[in-house]
Amino acid sequence: MSIVDRFKSRIQGIKSVVFTTHVIPDADGIGSEIALCMALRKLGIKAVCVNDEPLPQRYRYMDPDQVIFGVDEFEAQVFGEIDLWVVVDTNTVDRVCPALHQLIKKTNNVLFVDHHPAPHVKDLHSHCIDTTAAATGQLAGEIIQGLGLTFDAKLALPLYTAIIIDTSSFRYPSVTAKTHHLVGDLLATGIAPGVAYNGIYGAKKIEHMHLLGTILSTTMCTPSGEIAWIHLSKNLIKRFDSDVEDTHAFINHLLILDNIKVACMFRDDGDSIKVSFRSNGAWDVGLLARKFGGGGHSHSAATVIVKNENENVDLLIRQTVDKMTEYLSEIKC
Ligand SMILES: [Mn+2]
């Protein structure tokens, strides 16, 4: 059964759907849930999105109909019976806002729409998971077309944004002709690429620029130049009055280095360090992240390293880079 047919069969006879995505939602999760939610509304299904927090100001351009609610604003009793939960851009309820777990359990009917590897999903055949999709937004767009709906600008802008963010503006090997064909259909609605691009990468405060400059000026790399990394701390983000979620794209700047194979960003969150990996396509950072207990795509992956109190973070980073060099030589052979 195709993914579109699977989606159709899962919404068959369904009257009400609530969408959600992973905690600290990114533009792929947000764009995908908005577009799918509005598509189901067009089909006469009652639909809404509920996230761990209200939609940040900078993403509001994607949601003119205000279909997204923060969990604290959502009144389940007013919405009424929920027939189906659709979880986008992740394939485990563990990554969904804990405050929603009880409601999800009560409905006992979950559909994942995702493009991440899903080793823990037992009934894969009943979900819409396509690990070859460049973004969940691409998958969501294909599903919407498969439902027989035509894109309009309101559907197209969140999907286009989702695809831009997850491909870091079409630079990863996950981008295929299929991605661009879909993007062609999205742009044909008349949306302006600049609106999506500036929505995500523009509209920054001067402090953001100063933080980026500070971080990039401390970029380190291995002698071969194949691994480069930056180190971001929560204190620094606070000092520059910036937002953690808004620092995700910092790592992409490293991918323009000559010889680069893997870019890393170490974000010190206090009791743990989030390590993000990006690859220009030569090496599979999904495999690398799994070696460190994390996961993700071949071009974009992450893990979390638990940090002890008073731990020397610079030393920890050095040790991690050494381990990476070791792992990568194994992966290469
Ligand atoms: Mn995604």
Side-chain angles (χ1 to χ4, degrees):
M1 195 189 268
S2 74
I3 283 192
V4 170
D5 287 339
R6 215 172 282 167
F7 189 88
K8 281 184 189 164
S9 79
R10 294 292 307 269
I11 61 164
Q12 186 79 42
I14 292 284
K15 291 193 180 67
S16 62
V17 175
V18 177
F19 289 86
T20 191
T21 179
H22 51 82
V23 288
I24 318 181
D26 58 32
D28 188 26
I30 289 169
S32 302
E33 58 180 355
I34 292 172
L36 283 170
C37 177
M38 293 201 302
L40 291 197
R41 285 184 178 188
K42 281 177 193 277
L43 298 178
I45 295 173
K46 187 161 82 160
V48 78
C49 308
V50 184
N51 291 348
D52 58 342
E53 50 187 53
L55 194 58
Q57 181 66 40
R58 65 178 175 286
Y59 290 148
R60 299 226 172 123
Y61 73 92
M62 283 194 265
D63 188 19
D65 289 2
Q66 300 181 355
V67 301
I68 292 192
F69 292 83
V71 65
D72 294 336
E73 309 161 324
F74 178 62
E75 293 183 54
Q77 67 280 13
V78 174
F79 183 81
E81 195 73 29
I82 302 167
D83 294 334
L84 173 69
W85 280 84
V86 179
V87 177
V88 306
D89 203 37
T90 182
N91 52 59
T92 166
V93 172
D94 293 346
R95 290 214 60 217
V96 168
C97 168
L100 293 174
H101 287 188
Q102 205 52 41
L103 279 174
I104 295 175
K105 216 171 170 186
K106 195 174 153 211
T107 300
N108 196 24
N109 190 15
V110 175
L111 166 63
F112 295 115
V113 176
D114 188 29
H115 68 139
H116 295 91
H120 303 298
V121 178
K122 287 190 198 91
D123 47 348
L124 259 183
H125 59 280
S126 57
H127 295 279
C128 299
I129 295 173
D130 178 0
T131 55
T132 70
T136 299
Q138 178 180 331
L139 188 54
E142 288 163 6
I143 289 171
I144 290 169
Q145 286 186 314
L147 292 172
L149 295 167
T150 311
F151 292 134
D152 57 23
K154 276 190 192 174
L155 289 176
L157 191 56
L159 291 175
Y160 185 71
T161 305
I163 295 170
I164 283 192
I165 201 82
D166 257 33
T167 61
S168 291
S169 308
F170 306 103
R171 77 169 80 189
Y172 294 129
S174 55
V175 174
T176 60
K178 232 173 138 190
T179 317
H180 281 288
H181 281 304
L182 179 74
V183 164
D185 292 341
L186 298 175
L187 290 182
T189 63
I191 57 163
V195 173
Y197 191 90
N198 288 324
I200 294 301
Y201 298 119
K204 303 296 184 206
K205 295 180 295 181
I206 191 79
E207 290 85 355
H208 177 91
M209 202 57 81
H210 293 163
L211 173 61
L212 176 62
T214 304
I215 290 299
L216 291 184
S217 69
T218 61
T219 303
M220 311 263 272
C221 72
T222 52
S224 66
E226 290 177 317
I227 301 172
W229 65 96
I230 47 179
H231 170 200
L232 188 61
S233 70
K234 259 205 167 151
N235 286 342
L236 205 57
I237 295 172
K238 213 167 142 196
R239 171 140 67 89
F240 285 92
D241 193 23
S242 295
D243 176 355
V244 176
E245 206 277 320
D246 214 12
T247 61
H248 282 178
F250 283 9
I251 187 173
N252 295 337
H253 293 277
L254 306 187
L255 288 174
I256 62 169
L257 286 166
D258 193 21
N259 260 350
I260 188 80
K261 297 285 192 295
V262 177
C264 302
M265 180 162 82
F266 294 89
R267 195 187 71 212
D268 185 352
D269 287 342
D271 49 3
S272 64
I273 295 184
K274 161 107 187 270
V275 192
S276 305
F277 304 103
R278 297 287 183 277
S279 162
N280 62 359
W283 294 347
D284 184 336
V285 290
L287 287 178
L288 180 67
R290 283 197 274 289
K291 290 268 192 188
F292 283 101
H297 307 285
S298 62
H299 60 277
S300 170
T303 191
V304 173
I305 297 177
V306 178
K307 194 183 104 185
N308 299 320
E309 221 182 321
N310 305 324
E311 181 124 26
N312 180 333
V313 176
D314 288 327
L315 186 65
L316 190 69
I317 289 176
R318 263 289 166 198
Q319 289 166 341
T320 309
V321 171
D322 286 347
K323 257 193 237 166
M324 278 174 62
T325 315
E326 228 174 85
Y327 287 157
L328 285 170
S329 63
E330 283 172 29
I331 292 170
K332 268 196 293 181
C333 328

